[in-house]
Amino acid sequence: MVYRAEYLWIDGAEPTPEIRSKTKILPDGTEPGVWGYDGSSTNQAPGDRSDIVLQPVFQCPDPIRGGDNVLVMCETLHTADQSPIPSNTRAVAREAEDKYGDQDMWFGLEQEYTLLDPVTGWPAGFPEHGYPRPQGPYYCGVGAVKIFGRDLVERHAEACIRAGLKISGTNAEVMPGQWEFQIGPAGTVEVGDHLWIARYLLYRLAEDEDLEVSLEAKPMKGDWNGAGMHTNFSTGKMREDYDAIIAACEALGQPGKPEEHLAAYGVGIEDRLTGAHETQRFDQFSYGVSDRGASIRIPWQVAHDKKGYIEDRRPNANADPYLVSAVMTNTVGAVLT
Ligand code: ADP
Ligand code: MN
Ligand code: MN
Ligand code: MN
């Protein structure tokens, strides 16, 4: 008979690219092949040369449809010469991995997000008028007046597991309606594939729950935490040796590097990296053991074991994981060779 392949790709939306998808119905026993779409409807091509090529690059079981159905992550290519179109950021991650992948980079991305009530536009758990109790009881909290949206969080984690994604945990965050899931450890390209598909599943499942998912970096102004995508990172050497941990931190602080990294870390960096709410200011660079007010945190356990990984706390929730993993791989890879 037939099965369904959901083709996924990243669009050209400004300022923050989003995931798109469409379904191909295929005879059993055939592979999802090259396909295409109308790039003039995704801000990726002019109307008179609108075709964009979808090149399947990674697939996993579709946990929502079940059965033999699959999700297919694609790269986007020009029709003329099959080269990556400008918004194909996976190609950037691929290049970085080709260059430095022999250092065995691992990434663990902490994707924070906010569930919004589609009627009020406010985070789930915020009353229609006024504000909930100040931050304090919500982070990793339990109980009906603290927690909003847990059904979705649970369904999403189950879907990621069934899809075979490297999801490593979930938790309620500091602001009501804010949550996190983690993907990793995974390689430079792999972490982006898995995170983009996990984002797709989250949006898709939220359709059924009367909730909207926002990756905005600072959804509520004022005394409310923003939403980030902390990037935990190690190379083979860093997992063996503390000197390599320090060398990686120093590499990230070299002249010009903080600016280069922030440019890849998402939209609204200045709004979120204020120096308050467990962040370092966007125009300062620092690293330190256990320091959640530093740009880079060395976890306590890592300082104790004298090996492990570092946490770059700067990326925004709306960052593109392919660009984050690529710039990290390139900066640290060049120094630790
Ligand atoms: P936090 O304490 O900052 O909330 P989390 O537990 O949310 O940290 O996330 C830590 C992430 O780091 C997880 O995804 C985990 O898989 C990942 N991780 C653990 N060890 C390593 C390592 N050696 N290199 C890269 N990532 C790692
Ligand atoms: Mn976390
Ligand atoms: Mn968090
Ligand atoms: Mn963290």
Side-chain angles (χ1 to χ4, degrees):
M1 291 293 287
V2 297
Y3 74 102
R4 280 173 290 177
E6 192 71 11
Y7 279 62
L8 314 181
W9 72 95
I10 299 166
D11 69 12
E14 301 275 357
T16 304
E18 302 262 5
I19 193 107
R20 305 252 182 158
S21 80
K22 60 175 182 167
T23 308
K24 189 169 198 156
I25 300 169
L26 290 153
D28 283 345
T30 63
E31 283 297 306
V34 168
W35 203 14
Y37 67 98
D38 167 16
S40 73
S41 298
T42 58
N43 201 29
Q44 286 168 308
D48 57 349
R49 279 172 293 123
S50 65
D51 284 333
I52 302 213
V53 175
L54 285 174
Q55 171 75 59
V57 285
F58 171 79
Q59 62 170 283
C60 63
D62 181 339
I64 296 174
R65 290 181 173 139
D68 292 333
N69 302 301
V70 292
L71 302 175
V72 182
M73 191 68 195
C74 297
E75 284 199 30
T76 45
L77 311 177
H78 291 292
T79 49
D81 58 357
Q82 311 285 297
S83 65
I85 67 171
S87 59
N88 181 348
T89 52
R90 190 179 188 275
V92 181
R94 227 174 348 96
E95 245 173 66
E97 185 164 290
D98 285 348
K99 203 162 171 193
Y100 297 115
D102 57 348
Q103 294 183 40
D104 202 13
M105 273 86 178
W106 289 3
F107 288 86
L109 301 185
E110 303 170 50
Q111 175 73 71
E112 294 180 340
Y113 59 95
T114 310
L115 297 177
L116 303 180
D117 180 326
V119 177
T120 62
W122 278 44
F126 274 56
E128 212 168 313
H129 303 286
Y131 291 87
R133 278 192 294 159
Q135 292 184 162
Y138 307 110
Y139 169 76
C140 297
V142 58
V145 297
K146 299 187 200 111
I147 291 299
F148 309 92
R150 196 186 300 273
D151 282 353
L152 173 61
V153 172
E154 291 293 306
R155 289 181 63 213
H156 175 249
E158 266 178 51
C160 289
I161 294 165
R162 281 205 304 277
L165 302 180
K166 292 184 169 175
I167 185 167
S168 51
T170 68
N171 61 270
E173 268 303 334
V174 174
M175 184 177 88
Q178 216 164 49
W179 293 88
E180 170 180 314
F181 66 87
Q182 302 104 31
I183 296 286
T188 301
V189 175
E190 179 187 37
V191 80
D193 290 343
H194 286 215
L195 185 61
W196 273 111
I197 293 178
R199 284 178 178 178
Y200 164 79
L201 290 171
L202 185 60
Y203 290 121
R204 172 63 191 80
L205 291 170
E207 288 175 5
D208 305 340
E209 302 267 348
D210 207 21
L211 287 167
E212 189 181 326
V213 177
S214 170
L215 300 186
E216 219 185 304
K218 192 76 181 182
M220 296 305 288
K221 311 301 165 209
D223 207 10
W224 303 98
N225 273 35
M229 191 177 73
H230 295 168
T231 297
N232 299 277
F233 171 76
S234 64
T235 66
K237 264 191 196 163
M238 291 163 70
R239 294 190 294 274
E240 302 276 299
D241 168 24
Y242 202 65
D243 290 345
I245 297 272
I246 299 302
C249 293
E250 291 288 335
L252 292 165
Q254 294 170 103
K257 284 295 171 188
E259 295 78 7
E260 185 189 338
H261 277 249
L262 290 185
Y265 283 0
V267 172
I269 280 284
E270 300 81 1
D271 297 332
R272 178 173 148 265
L273 300 184
T274 58
H277 304 111
E278 306 177 57
T279 68
Q280 174 57 287
R281 283 180 55 85
F282 67 93
D283 54 1
Q284 312 262 317
F285 178 85
S286 64
Y287 64 89
V289 174
S290 293
D291 188 355
R292 287 176 199 267
S295 317
I296 310 290
R297 177 175 67 102
I298 300 173
W300 169 85
Q301 188 80 42
V302 174
H304 178 266
D305 296 346
K306 296 282 176 250
K307 60 181 181 179
Y309 64 98
I310 59 175
E311 177 191 48
D312 189 338
R313 301 179 56 78
R314 298 170 295 172
N316 273 352
N318 60 26
D320 179 339
Y322 291 132
L323 291 179
V324 173
S325 68
V327 71
M328 195 70 143
T329 296
N330 285 327
T331 296
V332 177
V335 166
L336 291 187
T337 40

